[in-house]
Amino acid sequence: MTSTLKTLIASSAIALMGASGAIAQDEGVLGAIKERDSLLCTGHNGSYLGFAEVDAQGAWQGFDIEMCRALATAITGSPDKLQIIPVSWAQRFPSLQSGDIDVIIKVTGWTMTRDTELGLTYSRPYFVGPFYTMTRKDLGATSIEDLAGGVFCAQAGTTVERILVDYMDTRGLEYEILAFEKPEELRGAIYNERCDAVPGFGPFLSATRVEAPDPDAFVILEDVMALEPEGIVVREGEDALMDVINWMVTVLLLAEQEGITMANVDEMKANPPSATVERMLGATPGVGARLGLSDDWAYNVIKTVGNYGEIYDRTIGKDSRYQLPRGLNNLWSNGGVMYPLVLD
């Protein structure tokens, strides 16, 4: 080998090493997750019913927990390479900014202040939540206006208080707020008649009513106070991780749209019905490289947690004790607002 050729090979090797280092650096938190081989994801205190709760065996479950498992699977190949970090509503943003967690998946509303002033980046909405008011049936209220002068219990550190204030002040309605940090404290307050009503995220209110000593003693009024898109949150500048998150959400929705489930994903991969499904499941290469993942990442996600509809049904929908209708969270083809991006 000539000295010139040796020099060229050495130069190429150095260039490749430099490129690899640059890629690792550009991956930011995504690279850190890969190196740690584990995702640090949010829980609550285990009592956010339907989204992040701990069952009788001490296992985490719920819609948000399943989204954490899906993301862990996409990046590491396994849903078990996941650490659920319990954080309060108020501590979720400081925990993300300090690096105690990699990502917030905690029904977190996409607001302008959070987006522009806290150094956060939101994913495309993975859930759309209407805000209603639940009240004691014996008060006889049929609309929020009927609760003027009453006491409202609300969760501190959430957008619920702001939504309530905006709604009541705009209509010139008098009211009083009792704020609680923990959902179980709030539920205890309404069950024990310390307040007249609880405004909140529709799924949360439905779960609160299901858990009541006498569910028939409460009613959820039909007035929609606000509609909030819930996104997955990372620190600003974590573009590589956000790309993975957005395409993970698309894969969950596309799988449902194409009828791909946990049960049939192997058959779909072996005999894909379309070029899009073939690409998505990694039957042809390329779907992983653009995200810095393996080509079977989407297949692994569907095989592990199923499609969006399967996650919804078993955590908060028809196969759960909460029985929440899909509503706006249905696919666009079924009257909802959820749709996959174009996976080309």
Side-chain angles (χ1 to χ4, degrees):
M1 184 180 293
T2 66
S3 59
T4 302
L5 181 55
K6 288 179 180 178
T7 301
L8 285 172
I9 292 174
S11 299
S12 299
I14 291 171
L16 286 171
M17 290 172 63
S20 176
I23 290 171
Q25 188 175 11
D26 289 344
E27 284 193 326
V29 171
L30 177 61
I33 296 168
K34 291 177 179 177
E35 186 173 350
R36 189 191 311 124
D37 203 23
S38 178
L39 172 70
L40 307 179
C41 200
T42 40
H44 190 68
N45 61 358
S47 62
Y48 199 72
L49 303 179
F51 285 84
E53 58 181 293
V54 177
D55 65 18
Q57 288 71 46
W60 286 94
Q61 61 183 14
F63 192 91
D64 283 350
I65 300 301
E66 290 298 285
M67 296 299 282
C68 288
R69 290 191 175 115
L71 184 57
T73 302
I75 298 172
T76 72
S78 169
D80 299 325
K81 294 179 178 178
L82 168 68
Q83 299 178 57
I84 299 296
I85 312 296
V87 294
S88 67
W89 293 108
Q91 284 301 310
R92 61 191 148 158
F93 300 128
S95 295
L96 180 68
Q97 288 155 342
S98 66
D100 292 338
I101 54 177
D102 298 319
V103 62
I104 297 172
I105 306 181
K106 190 176 167 67
V107 281
T108 297
W110 190 347
T111 73
M112 187 173 187
T113 298
R114 293 171 177 174
D115 191 15
T116 60
E117 298 182 5
L118 298 183
L120 307 175
T121 297
Y122 278 76
S123 73
R124 56 171 305 190
Y126 71 96
F127 197 90
V128 177
F131 282 81
Y132 297 102
T133 298
M134 187 180 86
T135 183
R136 303 199 320 267
K137 194 177 288 185
D138 63 357
L139 295 177
T142 58
S143 71
I144 296 176
E145 280 75 8
D146 295 334
L147 296 170
V151 178
F152 288 73
C153 288
Q155 286 185 264
T158 70
T159 52
V160 176
E161 285 183 276
R162 176 184 55 75
I163 289 170
L164 175 65
V165 169
D166 286 350
Y167 190 91
M168 301 297 277
D169 288 353
T170 299
R171 289 159 179 78
L173 302 173
E174 298 291 328
Y175 60 99
E176 180 182 342
I177 296 179
L178 286 180
F180 298 88
E181 171 59 35
K182 298 180 179 177
E184 59 268 33
E185 294 173 342
L186 185 148
R187 286 196 293 270
I190 184 70
Y191 297 159
N192 294 315
E193 302 186 8
R194 290 184 60 192
C195 46
D196 302 309
V198 174
F201 194 48
F204 171 77
L205 293 183
S206 295
T208 298
R209 186 171 57 178
V210 167
E211 287 286 298
D214 179 10
D216 291 336
F218 298 94
V219 61
I220 297 176
L221 303 178
E222 293 184 2
D223 310 71
V224 177
M225 303 175 73
L227 199 65
E228 184 178 78
E230 316 297 336
I232 298 173
V233 187
V234 302
R235 294 198 300 268
E236 208 162 71
E238 298 295 343
D239 296 348
L241 179 58
M242 186 52 75
D243 283 347
V244 172
I245 291 169
N246 278 324
W247 287 104
M248 177 201 75
V249 175
T250 273
V251 160
L252 295 174
L253 293 167
L254 184 59
E256 182 179 14
Q257 179 178 286
E258 299 299 320
I260 306 171
T261 66
M262 297 172 74
N264 69 14
V265 66
D266 287 306
E267 171 59 24
M268 287 287 191
K269 186 175 182 179
N271 299 289
S274 68
T276 297
V277 171
E278 187 174 344
R279 275 193 298 274
M280 178 173 70
L281 298 180
T284 54
V287 75
R290 285 176 286 178
L291 296 171
L293 303 177
S294 64
D295 271 340
D296 59 357
W297 72 268
Y299 163 83
N300 290 333
V301 168
I302 300 166
K303 183 72 175 177
T304 300
V305 300
N307 64 41
Y308 187 93
E310 289 180 288
I311 293 173
Y312 189 101
D313 288 345
R314 71 171 175 267
T315 56
I316 55 178
K318 63 182 179 63
D319 299 329
S320 75
R321 64 187 180 122
Y322 304 117
Q323 299 284 303
L324 293 173
R326 286 284 292 272
L328 290 174
N329 290 293
N330 222 319
L331 288 177
W332 65 276
S333 51
N334 293 325
V337 299
M338 297 307 233
Y339 59 90
L341 304 177
V342 177
L343 201 159
D344 57 2

